[in-house]
Amino acid sequence: MSKENRDSWGSRAQFILAAIGSAVGLGNAWRFPGLAAKHGGGAFLMVYLLAMLMIGIPFLMMEISIGRKMHRGVPGAFRAIKKSTEPVGWFAVSNAFVISVYYAVVFAWVIMMAFASYKFAGLTGDSAAASGIWADMIKTTGTTSGYGTISFPVLGCLVIAWILIYACIRNGAGTVGKVVKYTVFLPVICLIILCIKGMLMPGAMTGLTKFFVPDFSSLSSADIWIDAIGQVFYSLSIMMAIMVAYGSFLNEDSNIAMDAMIIAFSDFAISVLSGIVLFTTMSGTGQLDNMSSSGIATAFIIYPQSIVLLTNNGIANAIFAFVFYFCLCTLAIDSAFSIIEGVSTAVSDKFHLSHKKTTLALCIVASILSLWFVTGAGLAWLDIVDNWCNAYSLILVGILEAVTIGWLFDPKKVLKEVNRNTKSFKMPAWWFVTSIKVFAPITLTGFFIWNIVSLFRAGGIYGASDGYSLASNIIGGWVILILCFFSGFIVKGIEKSLEKKGFEPDDDVWEDTAE
């Protein structure tokens, strides 16, 4: 797709809503509150906000601006910056593709629970039964064995999930721009409804106190800093090929500095709103001490226990259950289709393919691969793959991106793109350059080393530290990480083969914009 014929956002609002929709996902609704409960409430909020300011916002601006500058997905943008760094972009793309495969299954679980909301009507006061609804429906063995068992409810909802994902991005930015007008505001409306209910419950103030009042003793733990930084990366959709792709559809007169601030703080605000919902509801139902840093456990096991204790009316509880899971559906779909959009943009740009056909092909391939997680062993495999993609691959992508822009290129040139059209707010060089060149690579490298050392210390030299077998960690962890890391070199081999048949790769280079 040439730059001249490239899709573009219909308006500034469409881009901002699409980016917010991508950034605001299931992690905001369930993982953010869980981590706050784990790390001293307000103390985690403070560290998260600091990490967002120091790393998250500069990275967000960086990715959007290089996408707009080159009008290419992340591999093409990095190729233009320095040809030898194109594999960094493919590392991000391939890791994002793996995430899309299992994220669609989580989306399917949420859809399934929305359909199953009626079950809560007959379980008033029965927390034990409510906590088992999800596990019974997915038919999990809890181990990496049990391939002969398939959950047909999950399978049916997975088909729905992939149809929705493709429908939302089939025409690229044009379709996405129309969809996000609804999918961004619907979850906010749902969260406000749940927030009002939570605030009216007895014990709500206890929950709010635990959420907002800092436990400063938590700041001495390295875990709070690691979890906060990790949540920032995942929550803002950076280092996942998404924001570069979305930036590539921007018009030249876009105000990246201001738009990125709006996106980041909107994401944070919705995370806080989700925290209020969870903390007040769990406190009002006597479940506050049961909150988990595991998002899946919170949404599908712990929160259902609270739903059946919300009122003495089963129908009302079922309605609140539907509102909650419908809210999660609207949060999940934006993030799910944005990941595929990032991958599709990179592939179609690289090989000069039809964006629509590329998107369809990727959805078909990813949907077939996602069947791996529909079996009885699916939950365990999802846990393994998710951990490796986020704790290792995603962080390594961040390190390589920071080194590429901060040391192999000139971050001041990128900053010039960030501030090109802004008047009311300009990103300061001391903030942007210091983050990209110093703070981000040092922090991320420390984070990565900490994770590797913790892995080996707990599980021996091969790193099987999560209770799963060594073979499972090698297949779901090391093999996938290595394939993602070397994906760029595989693409390079394909490119050379195609060149012999007349294929001409793009050779765009970064040219400074005239003052």
Side-chain angles (χ1 to χ4, degrees):
M1 183 186 300
S2 68
K3 293 182 180 181
E4 292 75 19
N5 299 323
R6 193 173 192 81
D7 291 337
S8 62
W9 300 110
S11 65
R12 178 188 182 191
Q14 281 190 2
F15 163 67
I16 293 174
L17 288 176
I20 291 173
S22 173
V24 176
L26 295 174
N28 300 70
W30 62 34
R31 191 168 184 267
F32 184 93
L35 290 174
K38 175 183 176 183
H39 295 301
F44 178 77
L45 300 186
M46 292 167 53
V47 175
Y48 179 90
L49 188 58
L50 180 62
M52 185 182 79
L53 292 170
M54 295 304 296
I55 300 180
I57 289 176
F59 253 86
L60 182 62
M61 291 179 175
M62 178 190 80
E63 292 198 343
I64 295 172
S65 63
I66 65 175
R68 184 189 64 179
K69 173 67 175 178
M70 300 314 306
H71 294 288
R72 289 286 181 268
V74 63
F78 273 88
R79 179 188 178 98
I81 288 170
K82 189 175 181 63
K83 194 172 183 178
S84 61
T85 64
E86 183 182 350
V88 174
W90 287 111
F91 188 7
V93 168
S94 56
N95 188 57
F97 179 74
V98 174
I99 291 173
S100 73
V101 170
Y102 69 78
Y103 195 90
V105 178
V106 181
F107 182 20
W109 291 343
V110 173
I111 295 173
M112 179 187 71
M113 289 297 287
F115 283 137
S117 297
Y118 71 91
K119 294 188 176 185
F120 288 91
L123 298 176
T124 303
D126 192 348
S127 296
S131 68
I133 292 176
W134 169 72
D136 291 341
M137 293 182 73
I138 68 171
K139 299 186 182 301
T140 180
T141 63
T143 67
T144 53
S145 60
Y147 297 104
T149 304
I150 294 179
S151 170
F152 289 101
V154 177
L155 180 61
C157 291
L158 184 62
V159 172
I160 294 173
W162 278 112
I163 291 174
L164 289 173
I165 291 170
Y166 175 70
C168 289
I169 56 172
R170 65 188 185 280
N171 292 322
T175 312
V176 172
K178 295 176 182 178
V179 171
V180 295
K181 290 188 293 185
Y182 305 99
T183 54
V184 171
F185 292 112
L186 280 174
V188 176
I189 294 171
C190 293
L191 285 171
I192 290 173
I193 292 171
L194 294 169
C195 181
I196 293 172
K197 171 59 181 174
M199 293 289 288
L200 294 176
M201 296 186 72
M205 289 306 300
T206 302
L208 290 175
T209 299
K210 185 169 183 178
F211 183 46
F212 285 109
V213 176
D215 176 5
F216 291 106
S217 64
S218 299
L219 298 176
S220 61
S221 170
D223 289 341
I224 186 175
W225 298 91
I226 291 172
D227 284 344
I229 293 171
Q231 180 65 14
V232 165
F233 299 152
Y234 199 75
S235 186
L236 290 180
S237 294
I238 50 181
M239 301 179 296
M240 295 173 65
I242 299 170
M243 290 304 171
V244 177
Y246 277 11
S248 74
F249 303 131
L250 277 173
N251 295 319
E252 292 299 321
D253 60 354
S254 53
N255 186 342
I256 292 175
M258 185 58 69
D259 290 353
M261 297 296 284
I262 293 172
I263 294 163
F265 280 98
S266 297
D267 176 74
F268 179 67
I270 295 176
S271 293
V272 172
L273 180 59
S274 299
I276 293 172
V277 169
L278 265 292
F279 274 78
T280 55
T281 303
M282 301 295 274
S283 179
T285 55
Q287 302 286 322
L288 188 58
D289 292 335
N290 293 336
M291 288 186 67
S292 169
S293 58
S294 165
I296 290 176
T298 297
F300 299 119
I301 299 175
I302 299 171
Y303 196 75
Q305 296 175 6
S306 290
I307 289 175
V308 295
L309 299 174
L310 285 172
T311 72
N312 292 322
N313 186 311
I315 300 298
N317 292 343
I319 292 173
F320 279 113
F322 176 77
V323 171
F324 176 70
Y325 288 109
F326 177 74
C327 174
L328 295 187
C329 286
T330 55
L331 287 171
I333 189 168
D334 286 336
S335 296
F337 70 61
S338 66
I339 299 172
I340 291 292
E341 179 62 30
V343 177
S344 179
T345 298
V347 175
S348 59
D349 283 352
K350 177 64 180 179
F351 297 107
H352 307 160
L353 302 172
S354 161
H355 187 280
K356 189 171 185 177
K357 292 180 179 178
T358 303
T359 300
L360 178 59
L362 286 170
C363 286
I364 292 173
V365 172
S367 63
I368 293 171
L369 294 174
S370 62
L371 295 176
W372 185 13
F373 302 104
V374 176
T375 66
L379 177 61
W381 281 110
L382 190 148
D383 189 25
I384 295 170
V385 176
D386 176 62
N387 177 57
W388 280 80
C389 283
N390 290 287
Y392 305 101
S393 294
L394 194 66
I395 303 306
L396 196 51
V397 168
I399 295 170
L400 294 174
E401 283 194 12
V403 170
T404 297
I405 301 300
W407 293 94
L408 302 181
F409 192 57
D410 184 355
K412 291 182 179 179
K413 292 183 178 181
V414 179
L415 178 61
K416 184 179 178 181
E417 281 299 308
V418 171
N419 288 331
R420 179 144 62 93
N421 299 312
T422 186
K423 295 180 181 178
S424 58
F425 168 77
K426 287 186 179 291
M427 184 65 170
W430 64 263
W431 182 356
F432 184 85
V433 175
T434 302
S435 175
I436 301 300
K437 193 167 186 175
V438 180
F439 193 74
I442 291 175
T443 303
L444 294 180
T445 301
F447 189 2
F448 184 76
I449 293 173
W450 175 277
N451 285 346
I452 290 291
V453 170
S454 298
L455 177 72
F456 286 164
R457 183 178 295 165
I461 190 171
Y462 298 107
S465 64
D466 48 15
Y468 301 113
S469 68
L470 173 59
S472 300
N473 275 271
I474 291 176
I475 296 170
W478 288 108
V479 170
I480 291 178
L481 186 152
I482 291 170
L483 285 174
C484 289
F485 184 83
F486 286 104
S487 60
F489 301 98
I490 296 173
V491 171
K492 189 68 176 177
I494 295 173
E495 178 186 88
K496 286 188 175 297
S497 176
L498 291 175
E499 283 184 50
K500 296 177 181 179
K501 301 177 182 179
F503 174 76
E504 296 182 5
D506 292 324
D507 284 319
D508 296 337
V509 294
W510 182 292
E511 295 179 355
D512 291 338
T513 305
E515 293 290 348

